[in-house]
């Protein structure tokens, strides 16, 4: 891709309306464009990153056996009246009337919709468990939309739903999602800590928020530092190993402010291990038993002729919020270098030819290198503009292209001037560069 032909509207300076670094950077490099309060268009750079995050989220849902569906954004008010949430949800819900004067709404979440799908399809315990998910736009008329896409009104969410016969089976499903969340955030090179959380309007009594540390986060957290040393590596999808894994995390005090209890915190955590800080909620999982299935009369036949309401949980990840959260975690503001993990970077590598007016050989060389890279599935952007060397490097650092090849005087013969964003240059052959990038990609 040639930079001169790309739709990447970069601003010279940070936009003054943005208060936190992710919002600043996203506007500065043209990842998003505000359309109205809390509502954004995603431009090529931002859209590419979000789609890559979405794909990792999807792969990790599939790995635990969840099945992807796609429910609509617009829902009928009928099912929300059945569950009792049509009134409870209040002003956050965007309500619409169609031409027949029917009350519709733009879905803020999908518990009712998915329960309605389930109940009309399955009647027997034999079909359970079922784990269903979709990745779809949501709308919540937030009272204070802010920080760009971090707290939007329209946002992109992965939400999953589990259906089981017994509480015990349902905990097994819950733990599968718990593991898949740890794996997902790890692949995005984020340290997301599971924290016991309140269930809020969703209801129920078992819930965890997954939070990454950031000064600009809106959640206040109280935690035991030792939780950061844990990993879920090696956990398989067996019931007992999943239980042990969750227990391992739950042994450490770790809550958001709604659940905070000073006495308990001080009793469970020694002073040197206490950490009180702020974080960003990137995921949230809930177990709420038969809250919706009872209200919406969703039961299955049990062996022996009895019937019971299905036990449900729901599991959300803020896919669009993650774009901002990763910037908050990875952007080196001082040096203006965005360190996207390679797995989600908008491009794998930048080719930076030093172009003179009368000499296009560097650009030709860049094009030739690009044809080889394409064969190896390496996605390159060629900066074919006639800016000087340092502003080209600055721009690629700001966009967050992890690797760069500079095609100038020092890239002679087979050896190319190669660098990782922000680090020193090395002279390497193209084969070696391809090997480095391919290996790095495979490790994720
Ligand atoms: P918050 O406490 O941040 O308002 P929530 O608890 O209301 O979020 P959930 O219903 O748990 O949100 O939604 C699941 C996930 O969707 C959240 O963990 C978050 O990552 C994302 N999310 C929720 N609201 C927004 C929003 N307004 N803008 C962007 N992402 C959001
Ligand atoms: Mg939440």
């Amino acid at each position: 891709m040639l930079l001169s032909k790309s739709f990447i509207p970069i601003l010279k300076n940070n936009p003054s309306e943005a208060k936190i670094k992710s919002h600043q950077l996203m506007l500065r490099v043209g990842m998003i464009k505000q359309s109205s309060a809390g509502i954004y268009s995603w431009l090529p750079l931002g859209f590419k990153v979000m789609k890559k995050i979405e794909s990792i989220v999807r792969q990790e849902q599939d790995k635990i056996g969840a099945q992807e569906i796609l429910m609509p954004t617009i829902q009928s008010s009928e099912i929300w009246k059945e569950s009792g949430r049509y009134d409870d949800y209040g002003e956050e819900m965007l309500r619409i009337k169609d031409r027949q004067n029917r009350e519709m709404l733009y879905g803020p979440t999908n518990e009712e919709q998915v329960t309605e799908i389930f109940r009309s399809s399955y009647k027997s315990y034999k079909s359970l468990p079922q784990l269903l998910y979709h990745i779809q736009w949501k709308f919540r008329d937030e009272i204070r939309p802010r920080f760009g896409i971090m707290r939007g009104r329209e946002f992109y969410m992965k939400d999953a739903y589990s259906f089981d016969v017994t509480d015990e089976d349902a905990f097994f499903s819950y733990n599968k999602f718990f593991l898949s969340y740890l794996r997902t955030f790890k692949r995005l090179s984020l340290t997301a800590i599971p924290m016991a959380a309140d269930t809020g309007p969703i209801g129920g009594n078992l819930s965890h928020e997954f939070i990454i540390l950031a000064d600009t986060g809106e959640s206040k957290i109280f935690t035991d530092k030792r939780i950061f040393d844990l990993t879920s590596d090696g956990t398989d999808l067996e019931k007992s190993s999943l239980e042990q894994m969750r227990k391992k995390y739950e042994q450490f005090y770790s809550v958001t402010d709604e659940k905070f209890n000073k006495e308990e915190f001080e009793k469970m955590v020694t002073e040197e291990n206490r950490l009180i800080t702020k974080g960003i909620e990137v995921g949230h999982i809930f177990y709420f038993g038969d809250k919706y299935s009872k209200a919406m009369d969703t039961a299955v036949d049990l062996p022996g002729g009895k019937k019971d309401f299905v036990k449900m949980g729901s599991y959300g990840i803020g896919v669009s919020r993650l774009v901002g959260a990763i910037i908050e975690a990875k952007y080196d503001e001082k040096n203006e270098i965005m360190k996207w993990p390679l797995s989600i970077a908008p491009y794998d590598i930048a080719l930076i030819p030093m172009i003179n007016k009368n000499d296009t050989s560097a650009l030709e060389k860049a094009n030739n290198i690009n044809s080889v890279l394409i064969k190896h599935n390496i996605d390159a952007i060629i900066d074919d503009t006639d800016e000087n060397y340092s502003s080209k490097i600055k721009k690629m650092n700001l966009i967050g292209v992890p690797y760069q090849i500079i095609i100038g005087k020092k890239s002679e013969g087979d050896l190319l001037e190669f660098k990782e964003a922000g680090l020193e240059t090395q002279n390497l052959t193209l084969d070696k560069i391809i090997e480095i990038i391919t290996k790095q990609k495979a490790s994720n």
Side-chain angles (χ1 to χ4, degrees):
M1 186 78 196
L2 295 174
L3 183 63
S4 65
K5 301 286 181 291
S6 319
F7 197 88
I8 307 180
I10 297 184
L11 306 173
K12 279 239 152 30
N13 298 306
N14 276 331
S16 58
E17 74 264 33
K19 300 278 174 286
I20 63 172
K21 57 184 175 181
S22 58
H23 191 197
Q24 287 167 355
L25 186 73
M26 290 183 82
L27 292 176
R28 174 114 181 252
V29 300
M31 294 176 78
I32 50 171
K33 165 91 178 70
Q34 186 172 345
S35 118
S36 57
I39 304 180
Y40 291 84
S41 298
W42 289 76
L43 305 185
L45 208 58
F47 194 56
K48 249 181 135 172
V49 172
M50 185 167 71
K51 283 283 155 185
K52 288 186 176 185
I53 295 173
E54 176 185 348
S55 152
I56 289 177
V57 169
R58 173 176 289 115
Q59 286 165 19
E60 293 302 328
Q61 295 294 293
D62 293 345
K63 275 191 206 156
I64 57 160
Q67 303 158 78
E68 187 168 13
I69 60 176
L70 183 60
M71 292 178 269
T73 54
I74 306 291
Q75 302 179 19
S76 157
S77 63
E78 296 299 317
I79 45 179
W80 287 76
K81 286 178 183 162
E82 270 188 65
S83 75
R85 280 208 294 182
Y86 194 58
D87 290 329
D88 291 354
Y89 222 94
E91 291 197 306
E92 262 195 27
M93 181 185 274
L94 180 67
R95 295 153 204 260
I96 314 161
K97 278 200 177 140
D98 71 8
R99 67 203 296 166
Q100 321 290 0
N101 226 20
R102 276 186 295 244
E103 292 171 317
M104 312 293 284
L105 56 104
Y106 196 118
T109 178
N110 283 60
E111 281 79 11
E112 285 79 359
Q113 186 79 73
V114 78
T115 304
E116 208 283 314
I117 293 170
F118 178 89
R119 76 176 169 189
S120 59
S121 313
Y122 285 124
K123 306 282 182 228
S124 162
Y125 74 96
K126 288 181 188 155
S127 314
L128 298 182
Q130 286 291 338
L131 312 180
L132 301 175
Y133 74 98
H134 78 157
I135 305 177
Q136 177 64 290
W137 292 96
K138 305 290 183 296
F139 194 94
R140 294 181 189 173
D141 203 349
E142 299 271 357
I143 188 162
R144 224 170 283 113
R146 57 180 180 161
F147 303 151
I149 47 79
M150 294 279 258
R151 181 166 299 283
R153 293 198 296 162
E154 190 183 45
F155 60 96
Y156 202 43
M157 195 213 277
K158 184 285 302 177
D159 40 325
Y161 303 88
S162 62
F163 300 86
D164 284 281
V165 180
T166 63
D167 280 331
E168 202 191 330
D169 292 346
F171 292 138
F172 184 23
S173 295
Y174 185 91
N175 292 342
K176 285 183 195 167
F177 283 101
F178 193 102
L179 175 66
S180 87
Y181 276 38
L182 292 171
R183 287 174 171 170
T184 303
F185 298 127
K186 189 175 175 201
R187 282 185 67 189
L188 296 170
S189 63
L190 292 174
T191 310
I193 303 298
M195 311 220 165
D198 252 7
T199 50
I202 304 264
N205 46 30
L206 172 63
S207 173
H208 286 87
E209 285 180 355
F210 288 76
I211 303 232
I212 64 163
L213 300 189
D215 296 339
T216 45
E218 292 185 284
S219 309
K220 191 158 187 207
I221 56 178
F222 302 83
T223 184
D224 185 324
K225 282 178 196 161
R226 289 172 296 175
I227 203 167
F228 290 93
D229 301 329
L230 298 178
T231 73
S232 60
D233 292 356
T235 309
D236 54 38
L237 284 177
E238 290 300 312
K239 205 168 184 169
S240 62
S241 51
L242 285 169
E243 260 166 34
Q244 276 169 22
M245 178 254 337
R246 182 150 73 86
K247 276 207 187 103
K248 197 171 76 178
Y249 280 89
E250 285 177 335
Q251 69 178 306
F252 295 118
Y253 191 88
S254 179
V255 303
T256 55
D257 49 358
E258 295 114 9
K259 276 232 159 177
F260 178 62
N261 178 311
K262 191 163 180 278
E263 219 172 287
E264 226 177 309
F265 184 50
E266 288 172 1
K267 201 171 107 204
M268 281 183 70
V269 192
T270 56
E271 213 168 326
E272 75 269 18
N273 285 325
R274 283 178 209 154
L275 178 68
I276 302 176
T277 184
K278 282 183 180 164
I280 300 167
E281 179 192 327
V282 285
H284 198 165
I285 61 179
F286 302 86
Y287 177 58
F288 42 76
D290 61 10
K291 180 178 150 94
Y292 296 91
S293 56
K294 208 169 181 174
M296 294 180 67
D297 195 18
T298 304
V300 288
D301 297 325
L302 303 180
K306 282 194 179 158
K307 263 174 170 290
D308 200 4
F309 297 115
V310 289
K311 307 292 187 294
M312 292 174 59
S314 73
Y315 314 88
I317 290 184
V319 177
S320 51
R321 178 180 286 180
L322 269 170
V323 180
I326 293 169
I327 296 175
E328 290 298 320
K330 306 280 173 203
Y331 182 43
D332 171 357
E333 202 175 11
K334 188 165 149 261
N335 298 303
E336 301 199 325
I337 302 176
M338 178 54 209
K339 303 229 160 180
W340 294 111
L342 185 59
S343 55
I344 57 165
Y347 294 96
D348 299 326
I349 190 163
L351 305 179
I352 305 178
M354 291 298 120
I355 301 171
N356 291 324
K357 278 211 174 73
N358 312 317
D359 181 8
T360 55
S361 62
L363 184 55
E364 265 163 46
K365 193 163 174 181
N367 282 324
N368 294 336
I369 292 173
N370 192 31
S371 345
V372 182
L373 293 177
I374 289 170
K375 286 192 194 120
H376 287 87
N377 276 326
I378 294 174
D379 187 15
I381 181 153
I382 304 175
D383 188 344
D384 58 334
T385 63
D386 48 17
E387 284 178 48
N388 63 37
Y389 169 81
S390 70
S391 56
K392 282 186 172 184
I393 295 281
K394 263 191 183 161
K395 205 168 21 181
M396 289 305 153
N397 286 344
L398 198 62
I399 291 174
V401 189
Y403 298 106
Q404 301 159 355
I405 294 177
I406 297 115
I407 304 158
K409 282 203 196 82
K410 287 191 202 145
S411 285
E412 287 297 331
D414 281 349
L415 289 179
L416 299 170
E417 198 185 344
F418 171 77
K419 73 202 284 295
E420 225 175 286
L423 302 181
E424 292 301 307
T425 57
Q426 294 168 269
N427 287 317
L428 300 176
T429 61
L430 185 56
D431 285 346
K432 184 68 195 167
I433 294 170
I434 291 170
E435 189 191 315
I436 292 173
I437 298 177
T438 310
K439 226 186 209 161
Q440 183 62 34
K441 277 189 160 183
S443 72
N444 190 263

